[in-house]
Amino acid sequence: MTFGFGDLRKGNAIELEGEPYFIVDYEKNKMQKRAPVTRIRLKSIKTGRVIDKNFSGYDIKLTPALVEKKKAKYLYNDSGIYYFMDEDDFEQYALSADLVEDVSSYLIDELSLELLFYENQPVSIELPTTVDLEVSETEPGYKGDTAQGGTKPAVVETGLKLMVPLFIEAGNVVKVDTRNASYVSRV
């Protein structure tokens, strides 16, 4: 089974040259009197490395990668190894730090997420869209600082740094968007 440009979606898993990738972004450029060029940004499922590939022509054929998703909970981190538990059969899986380093600042105990498997091996995780994190440190907000409602830097319990509204104080729990590390609301 293959799919073409019309079937491309961000987050789709494809197989290219025997390696599994997620589609991060794509665009199609058409110039006069030339075949279109499709540029696809891919992230390796196994290593996390991001590459760009260009495809020329009207018909691109990509093979979907067989990636299985299982509901899991984050348990703990021990010496750079992250442990997760399948919510259905309670089996535990370990992922190395290099596979989760870009999302490790959102991992808190008992966080529900999706564990991704390729060829029956856990290769990556998919976070929920938002995560509730406690603010561990931030500056006090001063009234009258802005006319539009300003922001200030804050650090949450996992070490993630983000901008929060002036009324947020240390100890508050905030909802954080995992796609762009931005403040959503106070919980």
Side-chain angles (χ1 to χ4, degrees), residues 8-129:
L8 289 180
R9 302 281 180 270
K10 290 181 184 179
N12 278 0
I14 65 162
E15 205 165 290
L16 187 67
E17 299 167 2
E19 290 291 315
Y21 292 93
F22 284 123
I23 297 174
V24 177
D25 200 10
Y26 62 93
E27 66 181 347
K28 187 175 188 177
N29 294 324
K30 173 134 176 47
M31 295 182 235
Q32 285 184 332
K33 298 182 182 181
R34 290 190 190 165
V37 174
T38 304
R39 185 183 68 75
I40 304 176
R41 177 161 284 187
L42 302 164
K43 181 177 181 181
S44 172
I45 292 175
K46 290 182 175 180
T47 64
R49 189 177 60 130
V50 176
I51 62 168
D52 289 325
K53 282 285 190 185
N54 293 326
F55 298 91
S56 220
Y58 289 95
D59 217 16
I60 51 173
K61 301 267 190 256
L62 300 171
T63 307
L66 298 175
V67 176
E68 182 184 355
K69 293 182 180 183
K70 292 184 180 182
K71 290 189 182 293
K73 282 194 185 287
Y74 170 67
L75 297 176
Y76 62 95
N77 169 16
D78 183 28
S79 304
I81 305 294
Y82 292 80
Y83 293 90
F84 302 88
M85 180 183 66
D86 186 319
E87 290 183 355
D88 294 328
D89 63 12
F90 306 110
E91 190 169 340
Q92 291 188 17
Y93 300 97
L95 289 173
S96 62
D98 59 325
L99 294 176
V100 295
E101 68 184 335
D102 54 338
V103 295
S104 62
S105 56
Y106 301 103
L107 295 177
I108 55 171
D109 293 345
E110 299 295 314
L111 176 68
S112 291
L113 45 83
E114 299 273 334
L115 203 52
L116 305 176
F117 288 80
Y118 179 74
E119 296 179 346
N120 295 324
Q121 294 295 319
V123 291
S124 183
I125 60 173
E126 193 172 282
L127 293 172
T129 306

Side-chain angles (χ1 to χ4, degrees), residues 136-153:
S136 56
E137 61 182 76
T138 187
E139 304 166 359
Y142 297 106
K143 288 185 180 181
D145 274 353
T146 67
Q148 300 290 336
T151 59
K152 61 183 180 178

